[in-house]
Amino acid sequence: MLATAKGYYNGSQIVLETPVNFQRGQEVIVTYTISSPQKSSESNDNLIDSLIGIIPNSGKTLEEYRSERLEKYADFD
């Protein structure tokens, strides 16, 4: 059986946020995430600028887009 517990590394040990009862000799697999360096807000601004204009502003409401999609895929069977 596999179980998952979330936690964090406090600089000297792994601290689990979920109470876990380990037994002596129990097999444990540890996986972890590797955080990438925080990007500067300038690169985020460049990303946002690159997306502007990709989706045309047609002036439709979200409900209009939704009904348009429902009509398009209604007889998809």
Side-chain angles (χ1 to χ4, degrees):
M1 181 174 85
L2 292 174
T4 304
K6 185 177 178 185
Y8 60 93
Y9 180 68
N10 70 2
S12 62
Q13 60 185 347
I14 295 173
V15 179
L16 299 176
E17 294 174 354
T18 307
V20 178
N21 295 321
F22 292 111
Q23 297 176 4
R24 185 179 192 96
Q26 180 178 357
E27 184 177 22
V28 176
I29 300 170
V30 177
T31 59
Y32 59 95
T33 58
I34 300 173
S35 302
S36 59
Q38 190 70 4
K39 295 181 180 180
S40 68
S41 64
E42 182 178 310
S43 58
N44 288 342
D45 292 340
N46 291 339
L47 176 65
I48 292 169
D49 289 341
S50 72
L51 294 174
I52 294 175
I54 291 175
I55 303 172
N57 183 3
S58 64
K60 294 180 184 178
T61 65
L62 291 176
E63 185 57 38
E64 290 171 323
Y65 281 116
R66 182 179 182 278
S67 62
E68 193 176 87
R69 286 291 177 198
L70 289 174
E71 289 173 18
K72 183 175 181 178
Y73 298 109
D75 57 354
F76 185 68
D77 299 331

